[in-house]
Amino acid sequence: MSNMPDFDFALGEAADMIRDTTARFSADKIAPIAAKIDAEDWFPIELWPQMGALGLHGITVGEEDGGLGLGYLEHVIAMEEVSRASASLGLSYGAHSNLCVNQLRRWGNPEQKAKYLPGLISGEHVGSLAMSEVGAGSDVVSMKLKADAVAGGYRLNGTKFWITNSAYAQTLIVYAKTGEGSGGITAFIIEKDMPGFSIGQKIQKMGMRGSPTAELVFNDCFVPEENIMGPLNGGVGVLMSGLDYERAVLAAGPLGIMQACLDVVLPYVRERKQFGSPIGSFQMVQAKVADMYVALNSARAYVYAVARACDAGKTTRFDAAGAILLASENAVKCSLEAIQALGGAGYTTDWPVERFLRDAKLYDIGAGTNEIRRFLIARELIGAR
């Protein structure tokens, strides 16, 4: 729980309820094992059904499909509080609940929703989304995974890379080439036991350890036609339509990291003494704390506003990009300031602030790099193409 005054963003009763529920669960169940998650690169899958029991996996799914029927603002709050306790678990949670569950909610047909959503929402199953490849990151249209039409469906051949949750996922949304160019990509729902589908190399990362990342391998993997999600050859539309919501929700991960930094720094500077006084009485330390607080709440204001715009159907691509751009860069700065505030202690693994920095850096890169985000914003503002 917070050890500093809270600014009231007037987010509403539902958001406050989600924050309270998620914060209590995260403090009780996630925070005590956060260091172990990082040190052992361990994904605590046993927490998934517990989070499902709280409704966290289906926040944006309608009640008729087993979800809470709430919005992206509430989803952002849950993402923030999980990430405050463990950024890596927060990343896996975002990949599951937004990239997989929310896309199924938006694009799945009634039969697909009935088949896949119950296990994903309950936490019995883990979800994932696979877009990136070794040679296709920001330039997603250059993907090479091929889906060839055969009787009754498609055969997939190729690989995906950098895929979050892949080693544990039972349900994956995978984009593959079914034609040429941007008009020849299709989204498929893949089940982990489909013949010809396997998990390749595990990817070791500097941060976000405990959020499993691996390669996907498709070797003549047959996918039935009914597992096409959205229109055939309409995968780019499916992908891009969800990108704004993905960025809005994932932008809450850095918010949680910044709050975690303050959770550590504030007690430390109150208690740590040098020259006979708490270091929090020194103006240069006070400036760091003030900058961290402003960085957090300015990012919160933007991220919450974009989430509300998503709920109102009024979000813009460049503001979704802007929100995660601001939040990600502020989180890296806050993490560096947290390390500096703790001095030598902050540079050791005895304190979690070095982990916060390693974890924060991912958000400068994932869901489109900050360079791509700046490009999108400038392109819209200037009108250049």
Side-chain angles (χ1 to χ4, degrees):
M1 296 300 171
S2 180
N3 54 27
M4 69 183 200
D6 289 325
F7 182 83
D8 185 5
F9 285 93
L11 302 181
E13 184 177 346
D16 291 344
M17 176 195 68
I18 289 291
R19 187 184 298 279
D20 183 66
T21 298
T22 312
R24 290 181 184 278
F25 175 83
S26 298
D28 292 344
K29 300 293 185 179
I30 302 175
I33 61 173
K36 174 181 169 71
I37 289 172
D38 176 71
E40 299 180 8
D41 200 7
W42 165 54
F43 178 58
I45 194 170
E46 62 271 18
L47 293 180
W48 233 238
Q50 298 177 46
M51 296 169 72
L54 295 176
L56 299 181
H57 297 315
I59 289 176
T60 57
V61 177
E63 294 182 33
E64 67 278 7
D65 290 316
L68 295 183
L70 298 175
Y72 292 104
L73 177 62
E74 290 78 19
H75 201 176
V76 158
I77 297 301
M79 177 72 179
E80 178 182 351
E81 292 298 334
V82 172
S83 299
R84 178 182 179 181
S86 168
S88 61
L89 194 67
L91 179 64
S92 283
Y93 167 68
H96 170 90
S97 59
N98 181 263
L99 277 66
C100 182
V101 173
N102 191 59
Q103 282 292 74
L104 265 168
R105 188 271 300 181
R106 297 179 66 244
W107 287 98
N109 61 39
E111 293 75 22
Q112 291 167 345
K113 291 181 182 181
K115 182 176 182 179
Y116 296 109
L117 282 180
L120 292 166
I121 291 172
S122 70
E124 179 185 356
H125 292 166
V126 175
S128 179
L129 179 141
M131 174 189 72
S132 298
E133 299 177 7
V134 172
S138 298
D139 181 16
V140 65
V141 177
S142 66
M143 68 176 63
K144 303 298 184 186
L145 177 63
K146 191 75 186 307
D148 292 312
V150 295
Y154 290 80
R155 288 204 180 276
L156 274 60
N157 284 282
T159 61
K160 291 290 182 182
F161 213 65
W162 311 111
I163 308 306
T164 302
N165 293 349
S166 49
Y168 292 84
Q170 287 89 356
T171 305
L172 306 93
I173 297 171
V174 176
Y175 293 88
K177 296 286 285 187
T178 46
E180 298 299 324
S182 60
I185 294 174
T186 301
F188 294 89
I189 302 172
I190 304 296
E191 301 171 19
K192 71 168 186 175
D193 294 327
M194 285 180 168
F197 170 63
S198 62
I199 304 299
Q201 63 176 302
K202 179 180 179 180
I203 300 167
Q204 300 293 338
K205 309 186 299 294
M206 67 176 265
M208 293 298 186
R209 291 169 53 80
S211 178
T213 310
E215 177 187 33
L216 307 183
V217 179
F218 297 86
N219 185 11
D220 275 343
C221 175
F222 176 75
V223 183
E225 188 173 2
E226 58 263 28
N227 277 48
I228 291 176
M229 190 181 79
L232 178 66
N233 295 322
V236 168
V238 174
L239 174 65
M240 298 307 292
S241 74
L243 193 55
D244 298 340
Y245 306 119
E246 173 186 344
R247 286 175 171 151
V249 171
L250 291 184
L255 302 184
I257 293 172
M258 285 187 273
Q259 182 63 68
C261 287
L262 284 164
D263 291 341
V264 173
V265 167
L266 288 176
Y268 187 87
V269 301
R270 290 167 183 156
E271 298 167 9
R272 168 72 167 168
K273 291 186 177 181
Q274 290 289 277
F275 308 105
S277 299
I279 64 172
S281 66
F282 303 148
Q283 288 184 348
M284 293 186 73
V285 173
Q286 292 172 355
K288 292 183 184 302
V289 170
D291 287 346
M292 292 168 67
Y293 176 78
V294 172
L296 168 59
N297 272 354
S298 58
R300 272 179 170 157
Y302 199 2
V303 173
Y304 295 165
V306 168
R308 281 174 152 159
C310 288
D311 288 330
K314 296 180 179 179
T315 190
T316 63
R317 180 142 300 157
F318 55 93
D319 277 311
I324 193 169
L325 169 65
L326 178 65
S328 66
E329 293 193 343
N330 281 7
V332 171
K333 293 174 184 176
C334 270
S335 302
L336 286 167
E337 291 286 42
I339 291 171
Q340 195 71 18
L342 269 64
Y347 197 67
T348 71
T349 57
D350 293 334
W351 290 82
V353 287
E354 59 84 28
R355 164 164 51 92
F356 299 160
L357 175 61
R358 290 187 285 108
D359 290 345
K361 188 59 187 172
L362 179 280
Y363 285 109
D364 282 347
I365 301 167
T369 65
N370 279 349
E371 288 76 13
I372 290 294
R373 295 163 190 162
R374 284 188 164 90
F375 168 73
L376 289 173
I377 295 165
R379 184 180 65 179
E380 292 297 327
L381 294 177
I382 297 170
R385 289 294 183 270

